[in-house]
Amino acid sequence: MTDLKRTPLYALNEELGGKMVPFAGWEMPVQFAPGVMKEHLHTRAACGLFDVSHMGQVILRGAGAAEALEALVPVDIAGLKPGRQRYALFTNDAGGILDDLMVANYGDRLLLVVNAANAEADIAHMRRAGLEIEPLEDRALLAVQGPAAEAVLEAATGAVPARFMDVAEVETSYGDLWISRSGYTGEDGFEVSVPASQAEAFARKLLAHEACEPIGLGARDSLRLETGLPLHGHDIDEGTTPAEAALTFALSKARRPGGARAGGYPGAEIIAAQLETGPERLRTGLLPEGRAPMREGVQLFASEEATEPAGAITSGAFAPSLQRPVAMGYLPTELAKPGTQITAELRGKRMPLACAPMPFQPSTYKR
Amino acid sequence: MKFTEDHEWLRPEDDLIVVGITEHASTQLGDVVFVELPELETQVAKGDEVVVIESVKAASDIVAPLDGEIVAVNDALTDNPALVNEDPMGEAWFFKIKPADMAEYDAYMDEDAYQDLIS
């Protein structure tokens, strides 16, 4: 584990009893003493603190930064107002998803947050496109999530952004905090970029609140799955398009055919054509019957008799909030309709499951 | 009671062996949410995967510690998989096996040797 990177909260994670595992080149806490189930339920009931410092933070500055980024994403960045954040996708020439990311407008700069596993490739991709970017090595990223997140963060900082996807810069005794009202758990909550030197003190302050507990990446994964949020490298990747991934909401009107700045990003023609005709396969929610979890890689069949798989599960687990297994995966579009009965092959046995709308667990964002 | 390197415990009961997993293994697995038990009267060979334990995050197997026949399974685990976390050394036994050769049982570790293994 010698060449794994450590976040500014490594020592605190260890002190808190985090079970550290390799994750995307980093040494990260997968769980703490209560375990995934209790950590998951605590986040839904009160407030969870997640160290997500492994994710890539990149700054883009100057006049023309938004337009330059638009050359890489099918998303309206030029129209993103100061104080707002938007979900975006890096696409490739085939219309596939290189990564998903958050783009926030802090007025004098854009802050991009990208997946840990893709950060290096994303940075190279942006540099090849001529973007003058500034990867941040000296800031940690903390996610504060759950119904008590607002109270916890307000107690520590005195001010929080008001609505889902609002962002704000707040001067505190923990330095200059960049706060977005967002996260990846389905809960109301925040992601806070904090100077690395202040990260531990700030995390301790958050944890001093009675509602706030440290939560590992295991529960982060089960929380985002219940909320139907895709995970890059699993539910979406460079072989899946935004339409196939049911992420057309991320394709801004201004960048679609007929829009003010239509096209001009990798794979634009392919993505535009798919918007027109609809994709041949679609990411869908899946509810296995019974209690056996069905996980990534389990093959899906149109019927019990079918011999050729129609698709596969890309994420699946037991959902702690629902006390039942849930999954998502890809099926031909005609099968990927809520209520359609299909079968999966689990350890050599055919087991029934049904297509279902997502999210499985409703989100509680403050709109 | 004897122990395997796979963190199973074996308890003789008349001419049968009752099989479960140790406290140590239960802690390592985390919250158990599903247990798939073998069919009754299945003939198994030592090392065969006979039980699947699913925790929130992952699936793991229990292997048959001996050659023999599965003669009982603990249906309580089907309704309440969390028993594996609550009482791994007692109520949460998985199956009873009628061994082909009881001498195989004697070859396993005693409790002291097992404690050394996990310490």
Side-chain angles (χ1 to χ4, degrees):
Chain A
M1 302 237 284
T2 48
D3 48 3
L4 291 173
K5 290 183 272 191
R6 292 179 171 181
T7 75
L9 292 185
Y10 178 85
L12 179 62
N13 287 327
E14 278 224 307
E15 180 189 318
L16 294 169
K19 183 179 170 194
M20 308 303 281
V21 300
F23 182 87
W26 295 78
E27 210 170 340
M28 300 300 292
V30 65
Q31 63 173 72
F32 292 86
V36 175
M37 181 91 82
K38 288 197 179 76
E39 291 172 33
H40 179 119
L41 296 173
H42 182 83
T43 305
R44 291 258 185 260
C47 177
L49 176 66
F50 304 74
D51 180 11
V52 289
S53 306
H54 59 313
M55 298 185 76
Q57 301 182 67
V58 179
I59 292 285
L60 200 51
R61 287 183 204 276
E67 289 74 15
L69 183 58
E70 283 196 353
L72 299 180
V73 300
V75 180
D76 178 6
I77 305 295
L80 180 64
K81 293 189 173 66
R84 291 292 290 166
Q85 178 174 264
R86 191 164 281 167
Y87 179 73
L89 306 163
F90 286 127
T91 52
N92 64 19
D93 290 339
I97 300 168
L98 289 175
D99 199 6
D100 60 346
L101 67 153
M102 286 292 186
V103 183
N105 185 345
Y106 281 91
D108 62 344
R109 65 194 185 278
L110 299 174
L111 173 65
L112 280 52
V113 178
V114 302
N115 282 301
N118 301 331
E120 213 171 301
D122 290 341
I123 287 165
H125 180 63
M126 287 187 277
R127 288 202 164 126
R128 270 195 306 274
L131 271 64
E132 285 179 32
I133 55 168
E134 186 188 325
L136 299 177
E137 306 288 345
D138 58 350
R139 294 187 77 92
L141 192 66
L142 305 185
V144 189
Q145 302 279 297
E150 181 172 24
V152 168
L153 192 61
E154 203 153 33
T157 64
V160 296
R163 284 183 309 146
F164 183 58
M165 291 294 209
D166 278 353
V167 303
E169 194 164 4
V170 181
E171 286 292 339
T172 70
S173 55
Y174 306 100
D176 190 14
L177 304 183
W178 307 343
I179 307 175
S180 74
R181 192 154 194 160
S182 65
Y184 222 57
T185 62
E187 294 297 318
D188 181 31
F190 306 86
E191 290 195 350
V192 186
S193 174
V194 50
S197 60
Q198 299 290 325
E200 186 176 319
F202 180 59
R204 284 186 193 276
K205 173 69 178 174
L206 295 169
L207 289 168
H209 195 289
E210 59 173 11
C212 187
E213 296 292 337
I215 309 293
L217 292 183
R220 185 171 163 84
D221 193 49
S222 54
L223 287 158
R224 68 94 201 160
L225 173 63
E226 278 184 350
T227 307
L229 297 168
L231 186 59
H232 195 271
H234 301 266
D235 310 298
I236 51 176
D237 58 32
E238 46 192 279
T240 51
T241 66
E244 290 172 337
L247 295 175
T248 50
F249 75 89
L251 306 176
S252 305
K253 199 177 161 202
R255 310 297 310 283
R256 295 189 184 203
R261 294 183 311 288
Y265 57 89
E269 293 75 19
I270 292 170
I271 287 172
Q274 262 195 8
L275 277 174
E276 187 78 18
T277 60
E280 286 178 15
R281 60 178 191 142
L282 198 59
R283 180 171 66 96
T284 179
L286 299 161
L287 291 175
E289 281 180 24
R291 284 183 66 89
M294 296 189 188
R295 301 179 194 274
E296 182 174 5
V298 167
Q299 293 196 312
L300 303 172
F301 296 82
S303 68
E304 212 163 328
E305 298 76 33
T307 52
E308 286 299 313
I313 287 176
T314 51
S315 277
F318 190 84
S321 306
L322 307 167
Q323 287 295 304
R324 59 159 304 146
V326 300
M328 59 175 92
Y330 283 83
L331 282 171
T333 305
E334 67 272 17
L335 287 178
K337 292 185 172 60
T340 308
Q341 295 289 321
I342 57 164
T343 68
E345 195 161 289
L346 189 66
R347 294 184 279 273
K349 272 182 268 180
R350 293 289 170 102
M351 312 277 278
L353 67 175
C355 295
M358 292 188 285
F360 304 110
Q361 165 82 13
S363 61
T364 57
Y365 309 133
K366 297 285 178 292
R367 303 267 181 193
Chain B
M1 191 179 266
K2 298 271 195 179
F3 296 85
T4 76
E5 290 186 356
D6 299 319
H7 309 285
E8 294 165 27
W9 55 257
L10 316 181
R11 180 164 53 80
E13 186 180 280
D14 303 325
D15 60 343
L16 306 178
I17 301 290
V18 188
V19 179
I21 61 167
T22 64
E23 184 91 42
H24 173 78
S26 158
T27 305
Q28 293 293 314
L29 282 176
D31 309 297
V32 173
V33 295
F34 176 76
V35 176
E36 186 175 299
L37 295 166
E39 305 267 336
L40 287 178
E41 296 173 18
T42 310
Q43 296 293 327
V44 296
K46 183 177 169 177
D48 286 355
E49 291 164 3
V50 287
V51 173
V52 179
I53 306 176
E54 299 262 11
S55 69
V56 179
K57 276 301 282 177
S60 40
D61 301 309
I62 298 183
V63 301
L66 314 154
D67 296 344
E69 181 184 346
I70 304 288
V71 295
V73 296
N74 187 359
D75 289 321
L77 297 178
T78 309
D79 298 330
N80 183 14
L83 260 188
V84 178
N85 299 117
E86 289 157 14
D87 192 11
M89 306 292 285
E91 290 294 306
W93 59 276
F94 288 90
F95 57 89
K96 298 179 183 182
I97 188 167
K98 187 175 172 61
D101 177 6
M102 201 52 133
E104 283 190 278
Y105 169 77
D106 296 320
Y108 280 109
M109 281 176 277
D110 61 17
E111 178 146 19
D112 286 346
Y114 180 70
Q115 290 301 333
D116 283 347
L117 177 79
I118 61 172
S119 65

